[in-house]
Amino acid sequence: MRDLVIVFGSSSAITNPHHHHRRCYATAPETNRKAKSNSSFTKLLPSLPQQHSPSPAPVSATHSLSNHFSKVVRWIPDGSLEYYADFASKLAEDGRIEDVALIAETLAAESGANVARFASMVEYDLLSKGISSNLRQGKIESVVYTLKRIEKVGIAPLDLVDETSVKLMRKQFRSMANSLQVEKAIDLMEILAGLGFKIKELVDPFDVVKSCVDISNPQLAIRYACLLPHTEILLCRIIHGFGKKGDMVSVMTAYEACKQILDTPNMYICRTMIDVCGLCGDYVKSRDIYEDLLKENIKPNIYVMNSLMNVNSHDLGYTLKVYKNMQNLDVTADMTSYNILLKTCCLAGRVDLAQDIYKEAKRMESSGLLKLDAFTYCTIIKVFADAKKWKWALKVKDDMKSVGVTPNTHTWSSLISACANAGLVEQANHLFEEMLASGCEPNSQCFNILLHACVEACQYDRAFRLFKSWKGSSVKEALYVDDSKGGISSQNRLKNHGPGSLVNSNSNSPYIQASNRFCFKPTTATYNILLKACGTDYYRGKELMDEMKSLGLAPNQITWSTLIDMCGGSGDVEGAVRILRTMHSAGTRPDVVAYTTAIKICAENKSLKLAFSLFEEMRRYQIKPNWVTYNTLLKARSKYGSLLEVRQCLAIYQDMRKAGYKPNDHFLKELIEEWCEGVIQENGLSQEASDQEGDAGRPVSLLIEKVATHMQERTAGNLAIDLQGLTKIEARLVVLAVLRMIKEDYMRGDVVIDDVLIILGTGEANSDSGKQEITVKEALVKLLQDELSLVVLPAGPKNIKQDAHCVDDAKQDTVHTLETTTSLVSISSTRRPAILERLMVTKASLYKWLQRKK
């Protein structure tokens, strides 16, 4: 064996890292070798270059480090491993663990057969001490890479890391896991896992997953999960974490990785995925997961089925289908299944079906198969409460008592709501008393339901008295602070109080003892209810707003909308708009309700310009109007005065239809008729009553859309009126609308530059459509020539494939007899291709009509 002697030179000796394992064999005489080896230890220890880099070289750099070490070593024939083992131990004691790894790697490269012997000679206690020293200095990365390097030469890393070092590792890994260094932490933990370390003991797995979710890196989270036992549990946590964040893309990435990692579908993961689909609103994906299981002939368990029904509870039909499939698959329904079915019926408003499910659950309870819980009773009570079936709700309360189930806060809240929805304020108060007597602590919702019941029953003063009393005294006392205006009499108090209640003997009224008093904490919803009780008293409402802010409660959109409506009730349009502006400055973004309320106030007070400007402001802020918004604007006018007003309302009408709302077509048609017929009235002629014959059952929207199309800004030279498919009444209104538009444009300075072309249709003379076209033509000729004194000429039939164009007025003879015009009506269309029947109103006659005085 050759002796390994370390020779330290200048830094310039470390050159050309690409020369791997370069050896320098000694040429010194044999007599000098022993002297060098004996005297070198004390000289070399302080001179060995220390590696100060906080980050150790990666494994790929091992050859470069060995190359560097080869530059500073020299092989001498008669050396011993004991010397180098002792030397490495001293380096380790001094904290130079990277140099120890360097020595070990060089020995492995030069004399691999003796590496195991070298590893047995190194003092592990000193090496462990060096590792602890580096960990105290925060060099976790250096330690991990050094452990990996020395493990290759036979030194067991687990034997070098004592309990103290493990605690230091935990501290540093926890710090890295809760920061942006989580990826580096996982890289290091992957190395330690390969060395046999228990990764779960180093850091809380949920902290690592949370950090991965925060940086939206599902692949990193999956890598970490694979390092731990029970991987599927952590995979569920990963999926749920991204689901709560609403990151469905990362959820699917994690789910696909799960399918690759696990051999068979895991029910726990499938259930988590379905729950996450509910969180993200992707119920279709939840159904796909379920269908995939069935396609693979995998029977879902009860938990997967319940999650699927819960996520799809908004769809009664699908939920019932899943429930039926449960029975076909012999999956026994549990109490959660019935609770979800009741919840689905509640959302769908199916009281009858909810009753049947409730009876079935009770039957199974009597058979000992199920045990109904408080949630079941609470849900069925809510079904009855929403349907205003308060007697049925109270019957369920009796069922609860009969089986020994104690109503909780939510149950009492639903019971009180059942009576409040039916307008039974006294009964609601009685239930509230019973709740207090049972020792159940009410929540803010219970208080708010009582206040809301008073407001809906127009007992505004009582609502304020209750609110004031709750704030200043015990809850029980507050119920009895009332007078003859709908209060509870002392006889009824004693009668209604339960037999188990605690009565104060020093008072005529039963009060709960001080130990049973509950703290009333008003919420924003509480003040919203009270604002409605203010009616049109804006200043009282402003005081409530100030009181809210003093309690640290922030007004929400409902609060501001109620305040706007309060101003509108007193006719203060400017105040209502000012509050809307204040919402912006207060940091609350107005919603569609706030804008609609302000628009309604403007419309009711005839501030139509302001109403339409608020509507345009809504659209600028990308707030989608609802049906009430559109309907309020369309009904804002009882009469149209200008073309601009008509265009404005028709544009709103078209937007309303595009948004999927159904407008009041007949109301708008009447206004348009009145505006269009104004063309005739302005010319001093009597308005002819509209003949409604033949129009019954026809959609009014077709007419309004035609008018709206022609009311758009017309381009120069385009004065064609398309009347195809319209009746004579509808055609009359469209033509009058265009003529009024031309007249108003002329009054603003626009000049008529072309004839007006009227397209009648392509029907055959003997067909129904052809006969209708003839009727329309006769009515239009009578309207334009007899009532408006315009010149109407046949434009000549044109093949549909040809471009329609107007005949130049200058080339036409403007003197035509009535007989010539009447002959247009009798033109036969027999044995000719499909053509467009057209009429033309000459430019010259239009000009004369526009100049005519009223």
Side-chain angles (χ1 to χ4, degrees):
M1 153 118 207
R2 292 172 178 171
D3 245 352
L4 178 64
V5 175
I6 304 176
V7 179
F8 299 95
S10 65
S11 59
S12 62
I14 306 174
T15 59
N16 197 3
H18 299 286
H19 296 171
H20 300 292
H21 305 295
R22 180 177 176 182
R23 299 182 179 88
C24 296
Y25 293 97
T27 58
E30 181 68 20
T31 55
N32 294 332
R33 293 174 189 166
K34 189 172 183 181
K36 287 184 179 180
S37 63
N38 290 337
S39 62
S40 62
F41 180 79
T42 56
K43 295 179 180 179
L44 298 183
L45 183 57
S47 304
L48 187 66
Q50 175 69 34
Q51 304 214 12
H52 296 287
S53 175
S55 300
V59 178
S60 60
T62 300
H63 292 297
S64 297
L65 288 172
S66 297
N67 183 39
H68 156 63
F69 199 79
S70 297
K71 292 280 187 178
V72 296
V73 299
R74 180 173 299 174
W75 290 102
I76 299 176
D78 296 328
S80 64
L81 288 176
E82 290 82 356
Y83 167 75
Y84 304 111
D86 189 25
F87 182 37
S89 300
K90 292 293 184 180
L91 290 174
E93 185 180 13
D94 197 37
R96 300 178 178 183
I97 58 174
E98 291 183 353
D99 292 329
V100 173
L102 197 59
I103 292 173
E105 288 175 340
T106 306
L107 284 172
E110 302 298 344
S111 57
N114 295 313
V115 171
R117 187 178 165 204
F118 168 79
S120 64
M121 293 179 182
V122 175
E123 295 187 29
Y124 278 43
D125 291 342
L126 296 179
L127 193 52
S128 178
K129 181 179 178 182
I131 289 173
S132 296
S133 175
N134 277 263
L135 288 173
R136 288 190 184 91
Q137 299 175 42
K139 299 179 180 180
I140 180 66
E141 196 170 355
S142 175
V143 168
V144 172
Y145 282 105
T146 299
L147 290 174
K148 181 178 181 180
R149 293 165 64 189
I150 64 177
E151 190 265 346
K152 293 181 178 179
V153 297
I155 299 176
L158 289 175
D159 296 338
L160 304 178
V161 180
D162 55 17
E163 186 62 31
T164 302
S165 297
V166 171
K167 290 180 180 178
L168 292 171
M169 280 186 173
R170 286 177 189 154
K171 181 179 179 181
Q172 294 186 47
F173 274 122
R174 286 171 185 171
S175 176
M176 296 172 71
N178 292 316
S179 66
L180 296 178
Q181 293 183 306
V182 62
E183 185 170 2
K184 182 182 292 185
I186 292 175
D187 290 339
L188 297 177
M189 283 188 281
E190 284 179 328
I191 295 174
L192 292 177
L195 299 177
F197 286 84
K198 295 181 179 179
I199 304 302
K200 188 175 181 180
E201 297 179 357
L202 298 178
V203 65
D204 187 349
F206 293 162
D207 289 342
V208 179
V209 170
K210 182 180 181 301
S211 297
C212 293
V213 171
D214 290 341
I215 63 175
S216 300
N217 194 334
Q219 293 86 356
L220 191 63
I222 295 294
R223 279 174 53 195
Y224 175 71
C226 293
L227 301 178
L228 303 176
H230 308 295
T231 303
E232 62 278 2
I233 297 177
L234 201 58
L235 290 175
C236 291
R237 184 78 176 198
I238 293 169
I239 292 172
H240 190 261
F242 284 109
K244 288 177 65 178
K245 191 179 179 181
D247 186 356
M248 198 61 189
V249 175
S250 296
V251 167
M252 292 308 302
T253 301
Y255 180 59
E256 293 300 326
C258 291
K259 292 196 289 186
Q260 297 295 327
I261 294 171
L262 304 176
D263 296 332
T264 58
N266 182 279
M267 292 296 107
Y268 191 26
I269 291 178
C270 291
R271 177 193 178 185
T272 304
M273 268 301 298
I274 291 173
D275 289 338
V276 165
C277 289
L279 289 175
C280 298
D282 191 355
Y283 64 90
V284 176
K285 185 60 184 176
S286 70
R287 300 181 183 186
D288 292 340
I289 294 170
Y290 172 67
E291 295 296 333
D292 290 343
L293 291 175
L294 296 182
K295 288 178 183 178
E296 296 180 22
N297 294 323
I298 297 175
K299 179 180 176 181
N301 60 24
I302 184 61
Y303 305 107
V304 173
M305 304 294 278
N306 285 343
S307 292
L308 183 66
M309 289 194 296
N310 189 44
V311 169
N312 292 275
S313 59
H314 62 282
D315 188 341
L316 178 62
Y318 184 80
T319 304
L320 293 177
K321 178 182 175 182
V322 174
Y323 176 66
K324 185 177 180 180
N325 202 19
M326 282 177 59
Q327 296 173 326
N328 295 334
L329 294 172
D330 292 329
V331 179
T332 305
D334 59 7
M335 198 63 253
T336 303
S337 307
Y338 286 100
N339 289 342
I340 294 171
L341 288 172
L342 288 174
K343 172 189 171 183
T344 305
C345 295
C346 181
L347 294 174
R350 289 290 303 274
V351 181
D352 55 336
L353 189 57
Q355 277 185 300
D356 294 339
I357 295 172
Y358 177 61
K359 290 177 182 177
E360 174 66 16
K362 286 181 64 180
R363 184 189 65 78
M364 296 188 70
E365 183 183 40
S366 61
S367 303
L369 300 175
L370 288 178
K371 177 64 177 177
L372 273 64
D373 54 20
F375 185 86
T376 310
Y377 292 109
C378 185
T379 305
I380 190 64
I381 288 172
K382 189 177 186 309
V383 173
F384 295 149
D386 292 344
K388 298 183 179 181
K389 308 275 187 187
W390 63 277
K391 290 184 179 180
W392 293 4
L394 294 180
K395 177 67 170 58
V396 175
K397 180 174 73 78
D398 295 336
D399 292 344
M400 293 180 68
K401 290 184 176 180
S402 64
V403 295
V405 178
T406 304
N408 57 22
T409 303
H410 299 290
T411 310
W412 285 112
S413 178
S414 298
L415 286 167
I416 296 169
S417 180
C419 295
N421 291 343
L424 303 173
V425 182
E426 303 302 335
Q427 186 65 37
N429 275 335
H430 169 66
L431 286 170
F432 190 74
E433 294 177 47
E434 191 175 345
M435 175 184 182
L436 297 179
S438 67
C440 184
E441 181 175 357
N443 56 16
S444 298
Q445 186 180 5
C446 297
F447 294 108
N448 293 340
I449 291 172
L450 277 180
L451 290 177
H452 181 71
C454 293
V455 172
E456 290 298 310
C458 298
Q459 298 179 16
Y460 304 128
D461 290 339
R462 185 178 191 178
F464 278 104
R465 283 195 298 272
L466 285 174
F467 176 71
K468 185 177 180 180
S469 302
W470 288 340
K471 289 196 302 179
S473 61
S474 69
V475 172
K476 190 67 179 180
E477 291 169 351
L479 288 174
Y480 301 135
V481 179
D482 205 28
D483 52 14
S484 58
K485 297 179 180 179
I488 306 174
S489 66
S490 57
Q491 292 180 353
N492 286 334
R493 297 172 204 159
L494 293 171
K495 178 180 178 181
N496 294 336
H497 212 65
S501 61
L502 300 174
V503 180
N504 187 342
S505 59
N506 296 325
S507 172
N508 293 327
S509 300
Y511 300 127
I512 294 179
Q513 290 182 347
S515 60
N516 282 338
R517 293 181 182 181
F518 304 113
C519 179
F520 169 60
K521 295 181 180 179
T523 62
T524 300
T526 308
Y527 283 97
N528 289 344
I529 295 169
L530 292 174
L531 281 172
K532 293 181 181 179
C534 293
T536 59
D537 191 347
Y538 170 76
Y539 294 101
R540 192 174 189 181
K542 190 67 172 62
E543 289 177 0
L544 284 173
M545 287 276 287
D546 294 338
E547 185 178 326
M548 280 181 65
K549 295 176 182 178
S550 67
L551 295 175
L553 297 174
N556 58 18
Q557 292 172 329
I558 298 175
T559 313
W560 290 106
S561 298
T562 306
L563 203 61
I564 292 171
D565 190 49
M566 196 179 299
C567 279
S570 58
D572 187 2
V573 178
E574 293 182 359
V577 176
R578 186 168 55 252
I579 294 171
L580 187 66
R581 302 284 180 256
T582 305
M583 286 184 70
H584 286 282
S585 60
T588 303
R589 186 174 184 267
D591 59 355
V592 62
V593 177
Y595 269 105
T596 302
T597 304
I599 289 172
K600 185 178 180 182
I601 292 168
C602 294
E604 289 174 349
N605 291 274
K606 306 303 178 185
S607 299
L608 302 184
K609 185 176 180 181
L610 183 56
F612 281 94
S613 69
L614 289 175
F615 178 73
E616 293 301 322
E617 185 178 305
M618 281 182 68
R619 301 175 71 174
R620 285 199 303 272
Y621 285 114
Q622 297 183 348
I623 300 173
K624 293 182 180 180
N626 58 21
W627 183 87
V628 179
T629 314
Y630 287 118
N631 207 46
T632 300
L633 288 170
L634 290 178
K635 290 189 175 182
R637 290 189 173 96
S638 59
K639 183 177 181 180
Y640 293 134
S642 66
L643 174 63
L644 177 62
E645 293 175 355
V646 175
R647 283 175 173 166
Q648 205 173 40
C649 284
L650 287 175
I652 292 174
Y653 172 85
Q654 288 180 311
D655 284 347
M656 186 176 186
R657 285 174 60 86
K658 289 177 182 177
Y661 298 111
K662 185 178 180 181
N664 189 338
D665 293 338
H666 293 281
F667 174 79
L668 192 59
K669 178 188 175 185
E670 291 176 2
L671 292 179
I672 293 175
E673 283 180 354
E674 182 181 353
W675 182 78
C676 294
E677 296 291 346
V679 175
I680 300 176
Q681 292 178 352
E682 290 174 359
N683 284 273
L685 300 175
S686 60
Q687 179 178 345
E688 181 182 300
S690 296
D691 181 13
Q692 300 296 330
E693 183 181 355
D695 284 357
R698 285 180 58 82
V700 180
S701 58
L702 175 63
L703 168 63
I704 299 177
E705 286 291 345
K706 282 283 185 181
V707 174
T709 301
H710 290 92
M711 287 296 99
Q712 303 299 325
E713 292 292 340
R714 56 191 176 89
T715 58
N718 183 17
L719 280 175
I721 307 175
D722 186 2
L723 303 179
Q724 297 182 79
L726 299 183
T727 65
K728 64 178 183 178
I729 302 300
E730 294 168 345
R732 172 189 176 92
L733 288 176
V734 173
V735 170
L736 288 175
V738 174
L739 290 176
R740 177 141 191 179
M741 177 185 69
I742 294 172
K743 190 163 191 174
E744 293 200 13
D745 288 345
Y746 176 77
M747 294 174 66
R748 291 199 305 269
D750 292 347
V751 180
V752 178
I753 61 174
D754 210 342
D755 304 322
V756 175
L757 191 65
I758 301 174
I759 302 172
L760 299 174
T762 60
E764 296 289 339
N766 296 328
S767 64
D768 292 339
S769 60
K771 293 177 182 178
Q772 180 175 314
E773 289 172 15
I774 294 174
T775 304
V776 170
K777 187 186 295 185
E778 291 176 345
L780 289 181
V781 168
K782 184 178 180 180
L783 167 67
L784 297 172
Q785 289 192 157
D786 297 352
E787 298 185 41
L788 298 177
S789 301
L790 293 170
V791 175
V792 183
L793 300 176
K798 291 290 181 180
N799 193 296
I800 295 178
K801 296 182 180 180
Q802 299 177 4
D803 293 331
H805 62 276
C806 298
V807 180
D808 187 0
D809 184 63
K811 297 180 181 179
Q812 298 293 330
D813 183 7
T814 58
V815 181
H816 290 270
T817 60
L818 180 61
E819 290 78 9
T820 303
T821 305
T822 307
S823 66
L824 294 170
V825 177
S826 60
I827 295 177
S828 174
S829 60
T830 308
R831 292 187 180 277
R832 57 182 180 179
I835 55 176
L836 288 174
E837 293 291 341
R838 304 179 300 169
L839 295 177
M840 182 179 67
V841 180
T842 64
K843 177 176 68 176
S845 64
L846 274 173
Y847 187 71
K848 291 179 181 179
W849 174 69
L850 293 171
Q851 289 182 318
R852 194 179 304 158
K853 295 183 178 179
K854 297 180 182 180

